[in-house]
Amino acid sequence: MNTIKKQAVIVLFCMLSAFSLAAQDIAGSWKGNLEVQGTELPLIFNITNASGELSSTMDSPTQGATGIPMDVTTLSDKELTIEFKQGGIKYVGVWDNANINGTFYQGGMEFPLMLMKTEKTIPGNPALVSSEADLQQLQALDKGDYKYSVEDYFARPKASSFRFSPDGKYMSYMEKDAKGKRHVMVKNVATGDVKMAVEEKEELIRGYAWLNNNRLAYLMDKGGDENYHVYAANLDGSNTMDLTPFEGVKAEFSNLLKEDKNHIIVSMNKNNPQVFEPFKVNIETGALEQLFKNEDPQNPIMGYDFDKDGNLKGYAKMVNGVDMQYYYADGNGGYTLFKELNWKDTFSVLAFDYATDNPDDAYVLTNLESDKTKIIKFDFKTGKTLEEVYQHPDYDVSNLSISKKRGYELDYVAYEGDKYQLVPISTSFKKLHKRIAQKFPNQQFYLTDATEDENQVLLYITSDKLYGEYYSYDVAKDEFTFLFDLMPQLKEEDMAEMRPITFKSRDGKTIHGYITLPKAALEGQKVPVIVNPHGGPQGIRDSWGFNPEAQLFASRGYATLQVNFRISGGYGREFLESGFKQIGRKAMDDVEDGLQYVVDQGWVDKDKAAIYGGSHGGYAVLRGLTKTPDLYACGVDYVGVSNLFTFMDSFPEYWKPYLEIVQEIWYDPNVPEEKKIMEEVSPVNHIDKIKKPLFVVQGANDPRVNINESDQIVEGLRAKGQAVPYMVKYDEGHGFGKEENRIELYKAMMGFFAEHLNTQQPIKKAVKG
């Protein structure tokens, strides 16, 4: 090699070595804060170096988004460039070995952003999490010659979520492949040809819908962080597009415009993470048009009412954290204050009444003059009620359906009592309702879809013993066609009965609920029982129907008790509000009174009662084990709150406008008397009272109940020497969405119950070291 070549090689080698060393030095995690309209948003770039080639991911901890892969990561003369092209994100900064000073670009906006070196961490304390071997050992305790496995109840159906295309030429559904992925498939009804429209890859498809005869929309987030994106694809899978390509932003599908086949309305917290604003989106090109601004985070708009043409008719604005103002279009392009409400009041537009010539007539759901919500016809022009459409004396009315084909005639209203009820209104629907009820007696049916001409109706048939079957009904031919049995492996004759119950609480309040009874209980035996408080808790309720959890429990010989305790929804305003400031107190009394009721009926063994629940239900587990330490044999806390103070402090940004409402429902730490109650009902403060075995389950990316809630309780119990199995999934959020994780959870839960309900053993101590 001649001298010139040798010198060139040496220079090139030195340049490559210098780049490699520089790339190595910049590798790691770099953290900074974006200042957006007075709010600090932390961002972390995680840079890795593989043989001199840089790559990076981005975390947005406030939004619960982690590990977002970047498209471009380059370092040239100390200038770092990171891009995520699909999200319209770019960062350019100068690295001075200690910091990176630069600018963050997104959506046409620029923000200064200085990054400092930090340590990359995963959510929570991984040292607390039980090993795979320990969890498998727990699963192995579920021994027995059972006819049905956990997979039989919780493996996703081979096909589900059936839909008609608007013109009825296609039938879409989600089909599970051998790897458990659920793809959106489209079947040509005439030819039978099936094509994949949307492929599910790493992230779950959280839902989908038809936009027009050629295009579908679907939702996905990342690892359960609930920052949903709205995507669109043609029915043959082509022209797939992220319609809301903004990382750390939550998009909500708002309106499908029946009169405009090329656009939809979505709400996004794109401009400010605390508030949502409506955007009109072109479903072919992704072009965005902001329809209205939500500029006051202290008094944000909480909901928008659009008509079928996409015109904004009214909006509800929160004032002072707890009051509501409803503004309505003034006819001149502006909006005037129409009605002042408290957040507890219900006055919401279900649909505008296009059967009249008055564009200001609407069907409104309200409880302003009644305890139970009712449906009225209301004229926004005069501010007067035109007609009371429907009210039930015992239950809140919840919904209605209108026929576009028959000039927007009202077909039915719906409410939920012991069971879901449709109340036929129109002559046409009365005939249809009668025909369906004759075909499927003693079963519950839902009209899940219909073609635009209303000649084909899609029915979902279910009961407490039938998971669900799909049928199509040809109205003109009066023909029912069976489409699919979601769970053919579960035979109705083997399933347990879910029975509505009603009892009086200790302070005289009428409480409703359900008991699912295994066959042994019906034969007179006292069986173990799983007490299962629902989540929410406000406005949520348990319902009659097929419950995979309760059926799995029944297959192992356990009854399941579900109590719609005070603060549950559907029973009127007084019942709902009677549970405010009573979470963990009288709401728990109702659960305990429900348990005593089923014990008194002779169905269950009072010494073999477990408590299990998710979210607020998980909190109720922890509260139950501390409030009444001897009542339950064991508990399973699934993404539950353990500390009311840290729970409220860890709200995602888009929940913060609701903080004062949450404090009216739960407790306000700024009021000394309520702060004392919060301390009293926060289970983490009473760990010493937990005497019975506990199993804790958590999704690491949970934006609602932070993993710290579960870590606190596990760490506290371990510190006092108690063994606590702890399952954490790092690709899940608020509840497990992935099939393999759900199956693993229920297998471990069945082993836990087998150990602590079938034989009462003393509590285990943690193994030290």
Side-chain angles (χ1 to χ4, degrees):
M1 186 179 293
N2 60 41
T3 303
I4 295 175
K5 286 185 177 179
K6 284 182 179 179
Q7 289 175 338
V9 170
I10 290 170
V11 170
L12 178 61
F13 178 77
C14 290
M15 289 172 63
L16 290 173
S17 297
F19 176 80
S20 181
L21 287 171
Q24 191 66 44
D25 287 341
I26 204 170
S29 294
W30 296 83
K31 182 176 182 179
N33 291 309
L34 286 179
E35 185 82 20
V36 182
Q37 296 184 7
T39 300
E40 283 196 347
L41 295 178
L43 284 183
I44 302 171
F45 290 105
N46 307 294
I47 303 172
T48 56
N49 171 32
S51 302
E53 185 173 340
L54 296 178
S55 61
S56 65
T57 63
M58 184 179 75
D59 301 341
S60 179
T62 305
Q63 299 298 312
T66 59
I68 303 163
M70 302 290 101
D71 301 318
V72 175
T73 307
T74 60
L75 181 66
S76 177
D77 294 330
K78 297 285 186 175
E79 183 176 272
L80 175 71
T81 301
I82 295 175
E83 285 188 74
F84 179 57
K85 295 177 181 178
Q86 191 178 26
I89 289 172
K90 184 177 181 179
Y91 176 70
V92 180
V94 177
W95 174 48
D96 64 7
N97 296 325
N99 302 310
I100 304 173
N101 287 284
T103 304
F104 183 87
Y105 304 88
Q106 183 177 15
M109 297 180 288
E110 301 180 12
F111 305 94
L113 178 61
M114 186 182 80
L115 302 174
M116 300 178 65
K117 202 73 172 284
T118 186
E119 292 295 322
K120 169 67 175 174
T121 59
I122 62 174
N125 181 359
L128 296 172
V129 181
S130 297
S131 68
E132 288 297 319
D134 286 343
L135 292 173
Q136 287 173 4
Q137 187 176 359
L138 188 62
Q139 292 180 27
L141 297 175
D142 182 31
K143 300 174 182 178
D145 185 19
Y146 302 120
K147 185 171 183 178
Y148 297 105
S149 67
V150 170
E151 286 86 349
D152 288 326
Y153 294 98
F154 289 99
R156 294 191 183 278
K158 297 292 184 184
S160 60
S161 302
F162 287 78
R163 303 281 189 274
F164 286 125
S165 63
D167 60 10
K169 292 181 180 180
Y170 297 94
M171 172 75 75
S172 61
Y173 53 92
M174 298 188 76
E175 183 176 79
K176 186 175 74 170
D177 66 16
K179 296 181 180 178
K181 297 297 182 182
R182 298 195 310 151
H183 315 296
V184 178
M185 313 299 291
V186 174
K187 178 181 180 180
N188 186 308
V189 174
T191 66
D193 291 341
V194 178
K195 292 184 178 180
M196 182 188 295
V198 184
E199 180 182 7
E200 184 175 87
K201 297 179 180 177
E202 183 62 27
E203 298 297 343
L204 299 178
I205 297 171
R206 301 285 180 171
Y208 84 96
W210 285 89
L211 298 176
N212 56 34
N213 290 323
N214 184 59
R215 204 145 169 79
L216 300 114
Y218 58 100
L219 292 177
M220 291 195 303
D221 64 354
K222 291 184 181 296
D225 65 8
E226 299 187 14
N227 287 323
Y228 299 110
H229 287 218
V230 181
Y231 295 82
N234 288 345
L235 58 87
D236 62 0
S238 63
N239 194 22
T240 298
M241 182 182 298
D242 185 351
L243 299 177
T244 57
F246 311 105
E247 289 307 318
V249 170
K250 182 174 183 175
E252 297 175 340
F253 191 96
S254 179
N255 291 74
L256 182 66
L257 302 177
K258 294 289 188 181
E259 307 301 320
D260 182 350
K261 303 297 186 183
N262 295 316
H263 294 86
I264 58 172
I265 297 174
V266 299
S267 289
M268 290 187 285
N269 58 345
K270 173 178 175 291
N271 297 325
N272 185 321
Q274 291 191 0
V275 297
F276 288 82
E277 296 171 308
F279 293 80
K280 191 175 184 179
V281 185
N282 187 304
I283 64 174
E284 300 289 343
T285 67
L288 283 175
E289 176 192 352
Q290 187 165 344
L291 298 177
F292 206 73
K293 290 185 178 181
N294 196 353
E295 298 179 301
D296 184 2
Q298 300 305 313
N299 300 288
I301 299 170
M302 311 307 290
Y304 304 87
D305 290 324
F306 291 90
D307 68 13
K308 61 185 176 65
D309 299 306
N311 301 309
L312 181 61
K313 300 293 291 288
Y315 60 85
K317 184 182 182 72
M318 183 185 291
V319 181
N320 302 321
V322 293
D323 294 318
M324 303 295 290
Q325 294 178 339
Y326 190 78
Y327 286 79
Y328 193 73
D330 60 12
N332 299 310
Y335 299 86
T336 57
L337 179 61
F338 183 83
K339 192 175 286 289
E340 293 188 274
L341 307 158
N342 183 268
W343 71 269
K344 301 171 190 174
D345 298 328
T346 298
F347 185 84
S348 59
V349 175
L350 291 177
F352 288 98
D353 184 8
Y354 305 113
T356 74
D357 294 329
N358 182 5
D360 300 309
D361 285 357
Y363 292 101
V364 170
L365 186 70
T366 179
N367 66 357
L368 296 185
E369 299 174 351
S370 58
D371 178 61
K372 312 297 188 294
T373 57
K374 61 183 179 180
I375 296 174
I376 61 173
K377 269 190 185 181
F378 189 82
D379 183 355
F380 278 96
K381 187 174 184 178
T382 64
K384 294 181 179 180
T385 298
L386 303 175
E387 176 188 348
E388 184 172 298
V389 177
Y390 188 81
Q391 180 178 10
H392 194 281
D394 301 316
Y395 305 107
D396 291 328
V397 185
S398 58
N399 207 354
L400 55 71
S401 180
I402 292 172
S403 169
K404 179 182 176 183
K405 177 183 178 181
R406 286 179 268 107
Y408 297 96
E409 181 180 27
L410 178 61
D411 270 344
Y412 65 82
V413 299
Y415 70 91
E416 188 170 9
D418 286 341
K419 299 180 181 180
Y420 180 73
Q421 301 288 343
L422 296 181
V423 181
I425 303 294
S426 71
T427 301
S428 295
F429 190 77
K430 285 178 180 177
K431 180 180 177 181
L432 177 63
H433 185 271
K434 182 178 180 180
R435 181 70 183 93
I436 298 171
Q438 288 173 341
K439 175 69 175 177
F440 303 104
N442 304 318
Q443 291 179 316
Q444 198 151 279
F445 57 87
Y446 298 86
L447 284 72
T448 61
D449 200 11
T451 54
E452 220 161 37
D453 61 12
E454 300 180 17
N455 289 330
Q456 293 285 336
V457 178
L458 189 64
L459 300 172
Y460 183 65
I461 310 300
T462 185
S463 74
D464 57 341
K465 297 184 179 182
L466 174 66
Y467 188 100
E469 295 177 343
Y470 278 99
Y471 285 80
S472 64
Y473 177 61
D474 188 308
V475 178
K477 296 180 181 178
D478 187 26
E479 289 180 357
F480 291 91
T481 301
F482 171 77
L483 297 175
F484 199 78
D485 184 344
L486 294 179
M487 287 290 190
Q489 71 274 21
L490 299 177
K491 305 303 179 186
E492 286 185 71
E493 60 268 21
D494 295 327
M495 298 299 108
E497 174 191 354
M498 176 185 272
R499 186 178 295 181
I501 59 172
T502 302
F503 59 92
K504 290 288 186 179
S505 68
R506 64 190 67 178
D507 60 354
K509 191 171 291 294
T510 299
I511 308 292
H512 300 274
Y514 302 92
I515 183 78
T516 301
L517 296 169
K519 292 181 180 179
L522 299 178
E523 294 168 355
Q525 296 182 41
K526 293 184 178 181
V527 299
V529 60
I530 313 295
V531 179
N532 182 208
H534 64 68
Q538 65 278 4
I540 307 299
R541 58 160 288 169
D542 285 312
S543 302
W544 185 88
F546 193 94
N547 184 312
E549 287 184 339
Q551 293 296 341
L552 172 63
F553 299 160
S555 75
R556 271 48 175 178
Y558 312 135
T560 300
L561 172 65
Q562 296 168 288
V563 175
N564 284 329
F565 43 86
R566 68 192 73 196
I567 211 174
S568 299
Y571 300 99
R573 180 170 179 166
E574 188 279 328
F575 186 83
L576 176 76
E577 294 181 19
S578 69
F580 292 178
K581 309 292 188 183
Q582 294 298 331
I583 297 171
R585 300 197 294 164
K586 288 186 177 181
M588 284 302 300
D589 291 349
D590 294 343
V591 174
E592 296 158 18
D593 294 345
L595 176 56
Q596 186 60 52
Y597 173 80
V598 296
V599 167
D600 292 342
Q601 303 308 303
W603 294 323
V604 305
D605 184 344
K606 66 179 179 63
D607 295 322
K608 291 187 177 182
I611 184 167
Y612 152 67
S615 194
H616 164 267
Y619 163 77
V621 170
L622 300 175
R623 178 61 179 147
L625 294 178
T626 54
K627 180 176 181 286
T628 51
D630 297 313
L631 185 60
Y632 301 105
C634 60
V636 178
D637 161 26
Y638 184 24
V639 296
V641 175
S642 67
N643 182 330
L644 268 60
F645 296 94
T646 55
F647 166 61
M648 292 183 184
D649 287 342
S650 65
F651 281 1
E653 288 297 317
Y654 49 82
W655 272 21
K656 288 184 178 176
Y658 296 97
L659 181 59
E660 289 186 55
I661 291 177
V662 172
Q663 290 173 347
E664 281 204 13
I665 295 169
W666 289 66
Y667 304 98
D668 186 347
N670 301 304
V671 177
E673 296 81 0
E674 293 187 24
K675 182 179 180 183
K676 289 181 181 178
I677 296 172
M678 289 177 69
E679 292 168 348
E680 173 197 336
V681 301
S682 289
V684 74
N685 295 330
H686 305 282
I687 286 176
D688 59 314
K689 295 178 182 176
I690 298 179
K691 303 190 295 184
K692 302 298 175 64
L694 176 66
F695 176 27
V696 179
V697 183
Q698 181 69 43
N701 303 317
D702 192 337
R704 306 188 202 184
V705 178
N706 189 279
I707 190 173
N708 183 48
E709 294 300 310
S710 291
D711 278 3
Q712 288 180 73
I713 208 76
V714 172
E715 191 168 24
L717 285 169
R718 297 257 180 90
K720 72 167 194 163
Q722 184 169 329
V724 185
Y726 186 24
M727 176 184 287
V728 175
K729 293 299 178 184
Y730 289 92
D731 55 352
E732 297 282 11
H734 195 61
F736 292 178
K738 295 186 176 180
E739 180 181 289
E740 62 272 21
N741 293 337
R742 285 164 61 86
I743 289 172
E744 188 178 335
L745 162 63
Y746 286 106
K747 283 185 174 181
M749 195 188 304
M750 289 302 94
F752 181 81
F753 286 147
E755 181 178 16
H756 300 295
L757 286 182
N758 292 341
T759 56
Q760 287 295 293
Q761 298 177 352
I763 198 166
K764 287 186 175 181
K765 296 295 182 180
V767 178
K768 295 184 178 180

